[in-house]
Amino acid sequence: MENENLSIASLQANQIRSSSSDGEDEQFVIGESFAALLEYRWLVAAITAVCISIGAGYLFVAKPIYKADGLLQVEERGGGGISSALKDLEPIVGDSTTVAAELEILNSRLVLGRAIERLSLNIHIEPKYFPLFGSAVARRHRGDGLNSAPLGLDKYAWGGERVQVDSLDVPRRVEDKALVLEFVGDGAYKLFDSEGEFVLRGNVGQRSSASGYSIYISKLIARPGTEFKVVRRSTETAVDLLRREFIAKERGKKSGIIEVALNGPEKEKIGLILDEILKTYVRQNVDKRSAEAEKTLKFLENQLPNLKKEMETAEATYNSYRQSRGSLDLNIETQGVLQSLVEVDNQIVALKQERDELRQSFTDAHPRIQSVDQRIERLRERRKMFDSEVGKLPDTQQKILRLARDVEVATTLYTNLVNTAQQLKVSKAGTVGDVRVIDFAAVSARPVGMDSYAVIFISAVLGGIISLGAVWVLRSLRVVIEDPETIESQVGLPVYATIPHSSEELSIARGRGSKGAQSILAIRSPGDDAIESLRALRTTIHFALMDATNNSLLITGSSPGLGKSFVSKNLGAVLASLGQRIVIVDADLRKGHINKEFELSREGGVSEFIVAHRTLEDVLKPTSVQNLWVVTTGQIPPNPSELLMHDRFKAMLRELEEKFDTVIVDAPPILAVSDAAIIGRLTGATLMVARSGKHPVAELKQAVKRMNQAGVTVKGFVFNDLDTQRQKYKYGYKGYVYRYSYGSKVE
């Protein structure tokens, strides 16, 4: 039971540790991301600012698009425009109208093409603007005069130009190609083809023709030398371009209301174009109805002369027979049969006329024609019944009945057709079509599309997204060490001190500090966090040199720009402040510069001690810092490595070790030259400086390996320039440890 309780407790403890670890990992990821953003905050701000600038530039350059809209009503009924008195003509002159069909007609070449021809939209001309922003400058010009041309760029338009091309004819092969029109001055102009070849010269207000080209310009206001782009578009191209900007759709299902709209950059022009499209559409609808009535009227007019002749012939035959037989009257029964026969014959004739009308549009197999044929057949069957009754009458009565019937049928048919023709003439004159304009074009006062604030906002969002992507890419490609724990875990050497970033040192490096001792951070700002870290390092150095035979310390690094000279001079100043006698030897015989910080001359240093056999007193130079001396590099030699291997250099170090408590040797980076390996065999301990965000792990491993191969043991590292703010956001409480442990301020 006890073992079981222990197992349960162990399991619970593991779960708690796992939860804690997961929470820390999640906090680490969030902190790492936030720290990366802080590190690249200027990059994020720069990319976002560039995107916002691009958005603002787009708003400046982009042409504003305006919208004109209107309303149409389509009456879905037959016989558009027929009055109630002419309803009987509806099957002849009326067809069913549907909104879907009318939408197709609105977008057809029939309607748009006619509007293009009336407004000359197939002729496109615009001034030649300076690339990118020229049109924007011209668009914002106010006033009646011409805008001035900057920097003598007279061939470009800058605002105020006016041109009106009333007619332009070009060869078929040149359609849809850009021609160049150059204003010469004094009303004269030149026209060049798409290849730049001269075509013709003309004057405003006069038609000019040459080589298949013909142009008439009624107005041209521009600066001499200004160029215009002229295009004579084909009908197909002009219709396609207009169709892209033209919108027609039904408002609500089965409403019969059509919304039409036209988008374009020219506010005044799009309203005229849309009105012309509406008028053209209504006009063609009326013309269609009128044409249908005209077609039927022409058919009736062709039939009337024959019917009139038949009527006159029937009357003459009837009258002649009565005169030859004397006056004959029909009894009541015979008159009833006559009326029935006349009625049936009239119906048969009317149906035959209707069938002839339908045959102009349909075949015999069409249901409407078959329906008429069936009705005619039924009437013929009925007529046979009446014929059988007539056959029972006396011969004289049968003859007079047939003649009277022919007269009655011919007269009735002729009279009806004359009335129908008159009605069609009235219908044609009063035709109004099935559609009408409810609202003519109204142009929006402000540009449509995306608002300027929305463009800026989207640009800022895109800038943020792009900058985040850039940060992610940079972080993915960056394999440098930013945490001292990485050195200890992967290189296997301790980090003796972690020096936080110092803005005060950055100010000194940029030349804002004082000269001499005031250029040393440990003297100018002894309470700085970086100096507090070096004070902690002095204890480590004390223990590191306890077992060493020599009291000298080598400071080096893997590559240039790590701050090893910063560590050397400030560490020396910190140690000297305790009353110890400290000397700094600038052994970087190639690029040493410690003499500049202490305002000392380079000459009379290591090189002269070795080559010119100077004494130690000759090369040892006191500084403005009490208890601190410096041995400069001396004149830069052609063979620094050979000089450092000379016995005189070793003798100099031994003499300095006897006279001073600690000798600090500043050496060149080991991966650049082998000087540090040579010096390391002569010193008591070796420390390497690593800088946050400057090295991959492989570089530090290679530097340590190079020192070990030369027989030099690296004691540990000094981690320089740590961004404590970034570490705070990355690790949370752990980020405060560097400043709490080494700094003078507790956070």
Side-chain angles (χ1 to χ4, degrees):
M1 186 70 179
E2 183 178 356
N3 292 335
E4 183 178 353
N5 291 335
L6 289 174
S7 299
I8 294 174
S10 176
L11 178 60
Q12 292 176 344
N14 290 334
Q15 290 176 346
I16 292 172
R17 283 194 295 269
S18 177
S19 284
S20 176
S21 176
D22 292 342
E24 289 181 0
D25 290 342
E26 182 178 357
Q27 182 182 5
F28 171 79
V29 172
I30 297 174
E32 172 69 16
S33 302
F34 192 71
L37 289 178
L38 283 180
E39 181 181 1
Y40 292 98
R41 57 187 179 276
W42 296 115
L43 176 63
V44 172
I47 293 177
T48 304
V50 169
C51 289
I52 293 175
S53 300
I54 293 174
Y58 168 78
L59 289 175
F60 178 78
V61 173
K63 289 184 178 180
I65 302 299
Y66 296 91
K67 180 180 180 181
D69 54 38
L71 281 181
L72 285 169
Q73 182 184 20
V74 178
E75 298 180 5
E76 294 195 49
R77 58 180 176 83
I82 300 177
S83 64
S84 60
L86 305 178
K87 282 295 183 180
D88 292 338
L89 298 179
E90 187 171 325
I92 301 176
V93 300
D95 290 327
S96 177
T97 303
T98 63
V99 174
E102 297 305 316
L103 288 175
E104 295 299 325
I105 294 174
L106 265 172
N107 284 279
S108 67
R109 199 177 292 115
L110 170 68
V111 174
L112 299 183
R114 289 180 182 177
I116 288 171
E117 291 177 1
R118 289 191 177 95
L119 297 178
S120 299
L121 299 181
N122 51 357
I123 301 175
H124 174 73
I125 182 167
E126 66 174 351
K128 186 176 182 181
Y129 298 110
F130 190 80
L132 295 180
F133 60 85
S135 61
V137 174
R139 192 166 55 249
R140 287 165 173 79
H141 173 65
R142 297 293 180 268
D144 298 330
L146 294 172
N147 196 7
S148 58
L151 303 177
L153 299 173
D154 294 336
K155 72 175 184 177
Y156 297 106
W158 296 97
E161 292 76 15
R162 301 287 185 274
V163 62
Q164 177 64 44
V165 180
D166 295 333
S167 175
L168 175 63
D169 296 320
V170 299
R172 179 71 177 175
R173 58 181 174 80
V174 186
E175 287 185 346
D176 300 323
K177 293 184 179 180
L179 309 177
V180 177
L181 180 72
E182 180 184 352
F183 181 59
V184 180
D186 296 330
Y189 59 85
K190 293 180 181 179
L191 185 66
F192 300 87
D193 63 13
S194 58
E195 304 296 331
E197 298 293 332
F198 175 78
V199 174
L200 58 82
R201 180 187 178 97
N203 293 291
V204 177
Q206 299 178 3
R207 177 172 290 276
S208 301
S209 302
S211 304
Y213 293 83
S214 179
I215 186 171
Y216 180 80
I217 300 178
S218 59
K219 181 172 66 174
L220 180 55
I221 301 174
R223 188 182 301 101
T226 304
E227 295 182 354
F228 297 82
K229 182 176 74 171
V230 187
V231 181
R232 177 60 164 84
R233 291 170 177 160
S234 62
T235 303
E236 295 79 7
T237 302
V239 170
D240 288 342
L241 291 175
L242 182 57
R243 192 176 287 157
R244 293 176 190 174
E245 304 299 332
F246 179 66
I247 302 170
K249 61 181 180 180
E250 185 177 9
R251 176 187 284 184
K253 192 174 182 181
K254 302 292 185 179
S255 65
I257 303 298
I258 297 178
E259 294 180 351
V260 291
L262 182 66
N263 298 325
E266 300 178 75
K267 186 176 181 180
E268 299 80 8
K269 193 173 182 180
I270 58 175
L272 297 175
I273 297 174
L274 186 58
D275 277 340
E276 185 61 36
I277 292 174
L278 296 177
K279 293 176 183 177
T280 302
Y281 169 66
V282 173
R283 191 181 301 117
Q284 67 82 30
N285 185 269
V286 174
D287 291 344
K288 173 188 173 185
R289 298 301 174 194
S290 179
E292 291 172 353
E294 176 69 24
K295 182 179 178 181
T296 305
L297 182 60
K298 185 178 293 185
F299 174 79
L300 294 179
E301 289 176 345
N302 290 333
Q303 296 294 322
L304 283 174
N306 295 330
L307 291 175
K308 183 178 181 181
K309 186 176 180 180
E310 290 178 1
M311 181 188 68
E312 292 174 348
T313 302
E315 289 178 347
T317 303
Y318 176 70
N319 292 330
S320 176
Y321 184 77
R322 290 188 64 183
Q323 290 175 1
S324 64
R325 294 291 182 177
S327 178
L328 295 175
D329 294 324
L330 299 174
N331 56 35
I332 296 176
E333 183 180 356
T334 304
Q335 289 179 355
V337 173
L338 175 62
Q339 287 298 115
S340 298
L341 285 171
V342 170
E343 182 180 349
V344 170
D345 286 343
N346 285 336
Q347 291 179 2
I348 291 174
V349 172
L351 287 175
K352 286 183 177 179
Q353 290 179 347
E354 183 179 349
R355 190 181 190 280
D356 292 338
E357 281 286 322
L358 293 174
R359 281 291 288 119
Q360 297 182 26
S361 303
F362 308 107
T363 63
D364 291 339
H366 195 274
R368 292 182 63 180
I369 294 181
Q370 290 181 353
S371 176
V372 172
D373 290 341
Q374 292 173 3
R375 291 163 62 189
I376 292 174
E377 188 63 29
R378 286 195 297 269
L379 289 173
R380 285 175 177 172
E381 292 293 333
R382 186 179 177 189
R383 192 180 187 282
K384 288 180 181 180
M385 295 172 58
F386 291 123
D387 287 342
S388 63
E389 293 181 8
V390 172
K392 298 176 182 179
L393 297 175
D395 292 340
T396 303
Q397 290 292 324
Q398 291 183 26
K399 182 68 174 179
I400 196 67
L401 179 62
R402 283 195 296 268
L403 292 176
R405 181 200 63 190
D406 292 342
V407 172
E408 188 71 21
V409 170
T411 302
T412 303
L413 183 59
Y414 178 75
T415 303
N416 288 338
L417 287 183
V418 169
N419 292 334
T420 301
Q422 293 298 326
Q423 291 175 352
L424 282 173
K425 290 180 181 179
V426 174
S427 174
K428 178 185 175 184
T431 301
V432 294
D434 293 327
V435 297
R436 68 187 182 98
V437 179
I438 299 177
D439 292 332
F440 281 96
V443 184
S444 59
R446 297 176 58 84
V448 296
M450 196 169 295
D451 186 75
S452 57
Y453 294 106
V455 172
I456 296 298
F457 176 75
I458 292 175
S459 300
V461 172
L462 289 177
I465 294 174
I466 294 172
S467 61
L468 291 178
V471 170
W472 181 83
V473 171
L474 291 174
R475 293 292 302 167
S476 299
L477 297 176
R478 187 173 178 179
V479 291
V480 294
I481 298 175
E482 297 177 342
D483 182 10
E485 294 181 1
T486 305
I487 297 178
E488 296 181 345
S489 61
Q490 297 192 32
V491 181
L493 290 176
V495 176
Y496 287 148
T498 300
I499 303 175
H501 174 78
S502 174
S503 56
E504 187 70 22
E505 174 62 22
L506 185 62
S507 175
I508 295 173
R510 290 175 177 174
R512 300 174 187 169
S514 304
K515 297 295 184 180
Q518 289 300 312
S519 65
I520 308 300
L521 182 62
I523 304 301
R524 179 174 177 175
S525 182
D528 193 273
D529 294 335
I531 302 305
E532 292 295 336
S533 299
L534 290 176
R535 290 193 178 97
L537 178 61
R538 67 189 178 192
T539 305
T540 305
I541 293 174
H542 172 73
F543 288 105
L545 295 178
M546 283 184 61
D547 298 332
T549 56
N550 305 316
N551 58 338
S552 54
L553 176 67
L554 173 64
I555 305 294
T556 186
S558 58
S559 56
L562 308 180
K564 57 182 181 58
S565 297
F566 164 78
V567 173
S568 298
K569 64 186 180 183
N570 283 281
L571 178 61
V574 168
L575 295 176
S577 65
L578 298 177
Q580 298 181 12
R581 290 170 54 84
I582 307 298
V583 61
I584 301 175
V585 179
D586 192 352
D588 189 353
L589 302 186
R590 291 173 172 82
K591 297 182 178 180
H593 55 80
I594 289 181
N595 60 291
K596 295 180 180 179
E597 279 80 353
F598 291 98
E599 290 188 303
L600 301 173
S601 62
R602 179 186 297 274
E603 289 73 15
V606 176
S607 300
E608 285 78 7
F609 184 88
I610 298 173
V611 177
H613 294 279
R614 298 281 184 90
T615 62
L616 191 61
E617 287 72 16
D618 294 334
V619 299
L620 197 60
K621 300 175 182 177
T623 66
S624 56
V625 180
Q626 189 177 2
N627 298 324
L628 181 63
W629 282 261
V630 172
V631 177
T632 60
T633 60
Q635 293 185 356
I636 299 176
N639 52 348
S641 298
E642 286 76 2
L643 256 64
L644 295 175
M645 296 176 64
H646 200 281
D647 292 338
R648 289 278 296 172
F649 180 71
K650 179 179 180 181
M652 183 185 70
L653 292 179
R654 297 296 170 260
E655 290 186 45
L656 291 173
E657 290 169 354
E658 293 177 0
K659 292 181 175 291
F660 293 91
D661 296 316
T662 304
V663 178
I664 300 174
V665 182
D666 184 11
I670 182 60
L671 295 183
V673 291
S674 60
D675 296 4
I678 298 172
I679 301 172
R681 291 196 295 266
L682 305 177
T683 57
T686 299
L687 292 180
M688 296 191 72
V689 178
R691 189 167 185 173
S692 175
K694 295 295 183 181
H695 322 272
V697 175
E699 179 182 315
L700 297 184
K701 289 182 177 180
Q702 182 64 25
V704 174
K705 181 179 179 181
R706 186 77 60 86
M707 296 294 285
N708 292 339
Q709 289 174 344
V712 179
T713 301
V714 179
K715 291 287 186 180
F717 281 86
V718 175
F719 197 72
N720 188 27
D721 201 26
L722 178 70
D723 188 351
T724 54
Q725 285 294 111
R726 186 175 188 279
Q727 295 296 317
K728 179 176 69 174
Y729 289 112
K730 181 176 179 181
Y731 293 106
Y733 175 75
K734 292 182 181 180
Y736 291 90
V737 174
Y738 299 107
R739 301 191 67 177
Y740 183 81
S741 300
Y742 304 131
S744 58
K745 300 176 183 179
V746 178
E747 297 187 10

